[in-house]
Amino acid sequence: MDVPLVIKQRLEELGLEQRDLAAAAEVTESYISQLLTRKKLPPAPGRTDIYDKMGKFLKLPSAKLSKLAELQRREELKRKLGDPPAPLFKEVRELILRKCAPDKEKQIRAIFEKQPFGELERLVTQKLLDVVKRVAKEELESETWLHLVARLSGRSYEQMRVTILEFLDTDVFSVSVENCVSFLDPLIESWDIDLATFAMEIVLNRRLAPGHPKKFEFVEREPDQPDEEPGVKEFLRDPSLSGDTTEEEIEFLKKLRFNGKRPTPLYYYRELQNLRDPLHFRALMTQTLRKELPGQSQPEGSVAPMHKYLEANGIEKQLQLDGRKRAIQRWAGNKGSRGKKQRAKS
C-alpha cells in the first residue's frame, strides 16, 4: 500500500476526478497525474501542506497519507544509496560559479574542474540550496510571494506551488536546471567563501527575500569573553574589601552575571563572605569532616567534632550549645575569682 494506490482507491470510491483533487490541493492536474503514475516521488511530509489538503478532500484519517509517503520515500532512498552520485548539470555549475564573488570565481572554477562534484562543490551547492529552500518553505503559505515569483518566472500560481513542492524535495545530488532557473537564480544575489576557514556568506535578492546576508562558518572558535562588571573592578581596587582574596575567589566573583542589575563593591564583599562561610556548603564540609581520623583531637569550639550534624540546623544548634558552654565556663571562672578576692580581703 502506497500513496498513489490509496489516492486512486479513494477517488474511485468517492466518484471524483484527478482535476478535483488538484484543485483541492492547489496544484496542477499534471502534477497529480505524475504522482499517481509514480513518475514523481511523493514530497516529504515535513516540507509541504499537500497531504493535509488531500486528506481532508478524500476524507482520510489524519496523517495517513503523510505516513505512507514517509515509508515510500524511505524505500526509495535505500534503493538510491546503492547508486553512485551523478555530477551536477553543466548549467547548474555555471549558474553557481556566475553567482560567486568576482575575485574568487577563477580560483573556485579551477577547483570545481579539477575535482568534479568534489567536496567543495557539494558543500557550496548544498549551502545555497539550504538557504533558498528555507526561504521557499517560509513563503509557501504566502499567496502574495507565490504570485510575485510566478510572474517573474512566467508561471501560474498553481504551477509555482508544484515547482516549490518539487524544489523542497531537492538535494545536492538531484538539483535540476529548472530548480536553478526558478529559485537559485532569482533568489541568490551572490556568494563568497573563505577557502582557509570555509566560512560562507550568501547574499539574497532583497526584493524576494529581505534580510541580512546569511553567514556560515566551519571553524572552531573560543567563546567571547563577557565584559567585567564595574562593581567587581571597584571591589578589587579597594584593599579594605579584597585584601586577602585568592585567585580562585576572584575568578568566581568575575563569573557572576546579573540581568539588568549592576551590583556595588559591597555586594562582592558580602558574596565573598558567603563563599567562605562553611555553613553554606554542607556537602563540601561533610566530605572534609569524614576524612578526619578516628580519635583525632580537635581544638575546643572546632566544627570538626560536629560531623554527626549533617544538616545546617544541626550545625547551628551545636554552635549555640558550644557558645552557651563557653559562657557558663567564663561565668564560673569569674565567680571563682570574685570569691578568692573576698577571702583575701577578709
Side-chain angles (χ1 to χ4, degrees):
M1 185 71 71
D2 59 7
V3 172
L5 183 58
V6 171
I7 293 177
K8 286 179 181 179
Q9 287 180 350
R10 288 302 293 165
L11 287 176
E12 185 177 349
E13 291 171 2
L14 299 173
L16 300 172
E17 301 291 337
Q18 291 184 16
R19 61 174 176 270
D20 301 321
L21 181 60
E26 296 184 324
V27 295
T28 61
E29 185 178 350
S30 173
Y31 179 76
I32 294 296
S33 176
Q34 293 181 67
L35 192 63
L36 298 184
T37 56
R38 296 180 176 80
K39 293 181 179 179
K40 287 187 179 297
L41 189 66
R47 297 173 178 170
T48 177
D49 59 354
I50 192 173
Y51 296 114
D52 290 335
K53 296 178 184 295
M54 291 195 300
K56 290 178 182 178
F57 180 73
L58 297 173
K59 300 178 182 178
L60 290 169
S62 176
K64 179 174 182 178
L65 287 178
S66 59
K67 290 178 181 177
L68 288 175
E70 189 67 39
L71 291 173
Q72 190 173 340
R73 290 176 59 83
R74 198 174 299 165
E75 291 301 319
E76 182 66 17
L77 179 60
K78 289 180 181 178
R79 186 186 64 80
K80 283 187 175 181
L81 286 177
D83 301 330
L88 296 177
F89 291 105
K90 181 180 179 181
E91 295 86 348
V92 175
R93 175 186 284 184
E94 288 301 321
L95 171 66
I96 292 174
L97 289 172
R98 177 162 54 84
K99 296 287 183 176
C100 180
D103 59 330
K104 295 277 182 65
E105 180 181 352
K106 186 175 181 180
Q107 185 180 9
I108 298 295
R109 181 183 292 275
I111 297 175
F112 280 13
E113 292 177 351
K114 184 178 180 180
Q115 298 177 334
F117 206 48
E119 290 84 354
L120 182 61
E121 187 171 2
R122 291 201 302 270
L123 171 66
V124 171
T125 307
Q126 187 64 63
K127 282 303 167 188
L128 295 178
L129 281 175
D130 289 344
V131 170
V132 176
K133 284 165 71 173
R134 191 181 310 152
V135 174
K137 185 175 181 180
E138 291 172 355
E139 302 292 349
L140 183 59
E141 299 298 327
S142 172
E143 292 190 14
T144 303
W145 189 84
L146 287 173
H147 281 297
L148 175 60
V149 178
R151 283 198 302 270
L152 291 176
S153 58
R155 291 178 171 86
S156 67
Y157 172 78
E158 291 76 15
Q159 288 174 332
M160 199 67 235
R161 272 184 56 85
V162 169
T163 305
I164 288 181
L165 293 176
E166 293 178 339
F167 176 67
L168 291 177
D169 275 337
T170 300
D171 56 28
V172 68
F173 300 108
S174 59
V175 60
S176 66
V177 177
E178 183 180 4
N179 297 146
C180 292
V181 173
S182 302
F183 298 102
L184 292 183
D185 194 11
L187 266 72
I188 293 179
E189 192 71 30
S190 64
W191 64 272
D192 195 3
I193 187 169
D194 184 341
L195 294 176
T197 64
F198 294 101
M200 279 188 70
E201 180 176 276
I202 301 173
V203 181
L204 298 175
N205 184 336
R206 292 188 176 181
R207 183 183 175 189
L208 297 175
H212 300 290
K214 310 299 180 183
K215 296 183 178 181
F216 303 89
E217 296 189 357
F218 305 90
V219 293
E220 181 180 356
R221 294 184 180 276
E222 293 295 330
D224 296 334
Q225 294 298 324
D227 295 334
E228 203 172 86
E229 290 286 346
V232 77
K233 293 181 180 179
E234 296 178 38
F235 165 77
L236 294 174
R237 286 198 297 264
D238 190 339
S240 64
L241 297 178
S242 61
D244 60 344
T245 310
T246 66
E247 290 295 329
E248 184 178 0
E249 292 169 338
I250 292 174
E251 187 66 24
F252 170 80
L253 295 175
K254 285 182 177 181
K255 290 180 179 179
L256 296 176
R257 288 293 170 265
F258 309 88
N259 186 15
K261 296 181 180 181
R262 289 293 177 264
T264 64
L266 183 58
Y267 168 84
Y268 288 98
Y269 173 77
R270 289 174 173 170
E271 190 67 41
L272 178 63
Q273 304 315 307
N274 288 333
L275 182 63
R276 292 174 174 179
D277 192 335
L279 291 178
H280 296 165
F281 300 94
R282 277 197 308 254
L284 182 59
M285 179 181 292
T286 303
Q287 293 172 2
T288 303
L289 297 177
R290 286 177 178 174
K291 292 180 180 179
E292 300 293 344
L293 295 175
Q296 183 177 353
S297 61
Q298 297 292 335
E300 185 179 357
S302 171
V303 182
M306 299 187 297
H307 60 276
K308 61 181 178 179
Y309 298 98
L310 300 181
E311 298 295 331
N313 289 337
I315 295 176
E316 290 176 1
K317 287 179 181 178
Q318 182 66 33
L319 289 174
Q320 291 173 1
L321 291 173
D322 288 349
R324 290 173 185 171
K325 184 193 234 182
R326 287 194 294 271
I328 291 172
Q329 289 173 348
R330 286 196 301 272
W331 178 80
N334 292 336
K335 183 178 178 182
S337 298
R338 286 197 300 269
K340 290 179 181 179
K341 289 180 181 179
Q342 289 177 356
R343 286 195 296 271
K345 289 180 180 179
S346 61

